[in-house]
Amino acid sequence: MNPVTALFHIQYPIIQAGMIWASGWRLASAVSNAGGLGIIGAGSMYPDVLQEHIRKCKLATTRPFGVNIPLLYPGIEQLIDIIIKEEVPIVFTSAGNPKTWTPTLKAAGIKVVHVVSSAAFAKKSEAAGVDAVVAEGFEAGGHNGREETTTMVLIPAVCEQVSIPVIAAGGIGSGKAMAAAFALGATGVQIGSRFVASPEASSHPLFKQAVVDAKEGDTFLAMKKLTPVRLLKNPFFETVKAAEDNGADKEALLALLGRARAKTGMFEGQLEEGELEIGQVCATIHEIKPAAAIVAEIWEEFEATIKKLATLSLP
């Protein structure tokens, strides 16, 4: 049995990433109903909003789903309380120290997965008691690791260092990429950007279209003096890049970023002034389609790829 499907009690080892302004209860429930693991992205949610999304997700699916919490945001205690109270079965944590909340969550009977960008951090996460890790490569959208290690290098490095299940992330949007991740030692994949281009994603239609229209080289890692984030190039990104090229410090970048910049772009659809977080894999996304169709397509291509590779022979 696959370690990831056994851990989460799901049909396919395909996890939809928790993404701010994109992954609410509609997307999470759709992915779970399709046999994957849907994740509500709590990074952009106040406690009452998160509670509403959890309750609506419960009504929309009888299958397991989870919540992602970026630990860098304030008010984490309230979000943790809501998750425990609502008996969410699975929590993915990111952007922080897994030692802080893993014991509390585990004591409540919750499975915990932490997102890492290095083998060293994966070892620390295992020592903290998490049930699995997501090894997220440099290609990923949104907040990223400072190490800038690609998925192709990161996955085997992490698999060498831990004994718990490793879920691959970063640049994965197809069954072929999933097969490559499994060849490197992963037993599951976490996919974000591909699910942004779905009707169920809560992001703005204009942002979804921008993702579909993106070409190779249209994303770039910015804000390295703060928390590195991969952005789709637009006028706001060009302003950030110019500031960074001119030696802007943290305070100047924070002032430039302001408040709700990601909401402005990804949720409200102001594509020129907003922060548009997306992964490099957007260059291979060419249409908006239902989340269930995405899950089915990825799984079918994965199986076909595995079978094809098994038939190949050397000259």
Side-chain angles (χ1 to χ4, degrees):
M1 181 178 289
N2 177 278
V4 171
T5 58
L7 178 64
F8 299 137
H9 304 292
I10 56 178
Q11 186 176 359
Y12 307 122
I14 298 172
I15 292 95
Q16 161 250 311
M19 303 167 286
I20 62 169
W21 305 117
S23 54
W25 69 269
R26 287 185 178 87
L27 179 57
S29 61
V31 172
S32 289
N33 283 332
L37 180 67
I39 303 289
I40 296 171
S44 57
M45 296 180 180
Y46 292 110
D48 60 328
V49 175
L50 174 59
Q51 186 173 53
E52 178 185 357
H53 277 262
I54 292 171
R55 291 180 175 179
K56 286 183 176 180
C57 200
K58 287 180 179 179
L59 293 174
T61 184
T62 58
R63 298 187 177 187
F65 68 91
V67 172
N68 170 258
I69 303 181
L71 299 177
L72 59 82
Y73 291 110
I76 295 298
E77 297 88 349
Q78 292 174 289
L79 298 181
I80 296 288
D81 287 345
I82 292 293
I83 286 169
I84 293 174
K85 178 182 177 181
E86 294 295 330
E87 298 181 337
V88 174
I90 304 158
V91 168
F92 281 53
T93 56
S94 59
N97 188 345
K99 290 183 179 180
T100 307
W101 289 107
T102 296
T104 301
L105 293 167
K106 295 281 287 183
I110 297 170
K111 293 182 175 68
V112 181
V113 183
H114 195 68
V115 181
V116 302
S117 57
S118 71
F121 202 20
K123 287 182 67 175
K124 291 180 180 178
S125 298
E126 183 176 35
V130 303
D131 296 285
V133 292
V134 173
E136 185 178 76
F138 173 66
E139 301 92 328
H143 293 295
N144 217 306
R146 297 184 182 279
E147 297 83 358
E148 300 190 10
T149 305
T150 63
T151 302
M152 187 69 75
V153 174
L154 179 63
I155 302 308
V158 170
C159 288
E160 287 181 359
Q161 295 296 321
V162 300
S163 58
I164 54 179
V166 175
I167 300 163
I172 301 170
S174 67
K176 291 178 180 178
M178 181 176 174
F182 273 55
L184 295 172
T187 52
V189 292
Q190 177 177 279
I191 296 173
S193 298
R194 183 64 193 93
F195 285 112
V196 169
S198 69
E200 296 92 346
S202 52
S203 41
H204 196 280
L206 290 177
F207 175 53
K208 296 179 188 181
Q209 190 60 47
V211 170
V212 170
D213 293 340
K215 302 294 187 294
E216 181 183 355
D218 282 351
T219 69
F220 198 84
L221 202 65
M223 299 285 187
K224 294 181 183 179
K225 291 181 181 178
L226 300 176
T227 301
V229 60
R230 182 170 295 282
L231 302 176
L232 191 64
K233 293 179 180 179
N234 69 343
F236 169 69
F237 162 78
E238 297 297 343
T239 301
V240 170
K241 186 177 185 301
E244 291 183 321
D245 289 346
N246 290 324
D249 58 16
K250 291 183 178 180
E251 288 71 24
L253 290 173
L254 282 171
L256 183 61
L257 185 61
R259 286 183 55 83
R261 184 74 69 168
K263 180 182 181 182
T264 298
M266 294 185 285
F267 191 70
E268 297 176 350
Q270 298 183 36
L271 301 187
E272 293 193 357
E273 296 302 320
E275 178 182 313
L276 308 178
E277 301 179 10
I278 203 72
Q280 286 183 338
V281 76
C282 65
T284 69
I285 300 170
H286 306 304
E287 61 181 321
I288 296 169
K289 62 174 55 179
I294 293 172
V295 172
E297 182 180 272
I298 289 171
W299 183 251
E300 289 169 8
E301 188 179 65
F302 169 75
E303 289 194 309
T305 302
I306 295 299
K307 290 178 181 177
K308 181 179 179 180
L309 291 173
T311 64
L312 293 179
S313 60
L314 296 174

